[in-house]
Amino acid sequence: MEYKILEMDAPEYPQKLITRLNRDAPERIYYHGPLELLDIFTMGYISADSITGLGLMTTNQLLFTIREYDVNYIGSAFSIMETEIFRLGLWRSNQDVSLFSSKGLAKESFKSFLKTRFYPPMHEFPERDEYFRRAEENELLMLSIVDPDITKMTRKNIIQRNYMACMLSDVVFIPFAEKGTKTLTLAKRLVSSDVPLFTTDCEENKELHNLGIPGLTRQNVGEFIEKLGAKLSDPERERPKRIDPPPADQESDLEPPMIQMSLWGS
């Protein structure tokens, strides 16, 4: 995939990274797509690989409110709960999605990004068509901070990716974390930064609550993110119509999707 390089001294370089990390900010960022998405209110999201039923239910309660705001979701979209938030950002026309890869962008593509996250039969998830439409229309941002030729997801690169996605955020949502998870380890690191954090009021998130991370509900999460700069969406905002998939005899890097009823819809 073609990519661009953003040097630290470039005017487009995210000031959040310089302010929060100073000399530890990455010297260069590799990207493909519109950097302007980072100017929108950006919510990072990290969640443990597993999540309890109560954790899932309380997370969805918060998302029912959050989805009414103009939000750019940024993260790796790797765990089950993370892929659900990723899908929500694709389903809602007032929300955007930025992808952060632990691979190099000379090797990672929009297609390969999905392959490592949605295995059959889940590769036919309902928002797949919108994902590829946004990719075709240059509405998806993909970022990486590793050498463009890196092909493997190493533990070091994964930890760096997750941390940098949070550093680029106006707020970070942690749906679920418990003892022994990488998510809780990252949460402990984040509480010492100036990045605002929140989780759900789920009693099973007590490890996060004990760190001082507020547990919010559907009733108060809107007020919380509004104080940080989030804006309710304009109901008149619409995205362009979906482009037609290429003819069957025409090759494309973005394979045409299958359309199904969305779980986020009615």
Side-chain angles (χ1 to χ4, degrees), residues 5 64 73 77 96 102 136 144-145 232 253:
I5 302 175
F64 269 108
Y73 298 111
D96 291 280
S102 59
E136 288 278 14
S144 175
I145 57 171
L232 281 168
D253 287 338

Side-chain angles (χ1 to χ4, degrees), residues 101-113:
S101 177
S102 59
K103 297 179 183 178
L105 294 194
K107 305 299 181 181
E108 186 78 285
S109 67
F110 289 115
K111 183 190 292 187
S112 66
F113 188 88

Side-chain angles (χ1 to χ4, degrees), residues 114-241:
L114 285 192
K115 282 185 176 180
T116 53
R117 289 157 174 81
F118 293 91
Y119 295 96
M122 298 305 294
H123 68 297
E124 296 174 357
F125 66 95
E127 296 75 27
R128 183 181 172 94
D129 60 330
E130 174 64 7
Y131 175 84
F132 284 110
R133 187 201 69 76
R134 293 193 192 186
E136 288 278 14
E137 293 293 309
N138 196 40
E139 295 178 21
L140 280 179
L141 173 64
M142 184 180 288
L143 303 163
S144 175
I145 57 171
V146 301
D147 185 281
D149 291 319
I150 296 293
T151 60
K152 295 182 178 181
M153 294 183 287
T154 66
R155 181 179 178 83
K156 177 182 177 181
N157 291 346
I158 289 170
I159 291 173
Q160 281 186 313
R161 172 201 65 193
N162 294 346
Y163 182 65
M164 288 302 167
C166 294
M167 290 297 104
L168 283 169
S169 303
D170 293 294
V171 68
V172 174
F173 180 24
I174 310 176
F176 189 75
E178 55 188 350
K179 283 184 178 180
T181 63
K182 295 189 295 293
T183 304
L184 185 61
T185 300
L186 178 55
K188 291 178 179 178
R189 184 180 182 186
L190 291 173
V191 294
S192 62
S193 71
D194 63 350
V195 181
L197 311 171
F198 72 97
T199 184
T200 72
D201 66 343
C202 172
E203 60 186 23
E204 294 169 355
N205 270 331
K206 61 182 180 180
E207 299 295 335
L208 294 173
H209 301 156
N210 289 340
L211 293 176
I213 299 173
L216 304 181
T217 68
R218 183 174 179 176
Q219 287 71 36
N220 60 17
V221 67
E223 180 183 3
F224 181 84
I225 62 175
E226 282 183 22
K227 288 180 178 178
L228 299 172
K231 304 293 184 184
L232 281 168
S233 68
D234 179 355
E236 301 299 321
R237 178 188 177 192
E238 293 184 0
R239 287 191 179 275
K241 293 182 179 179

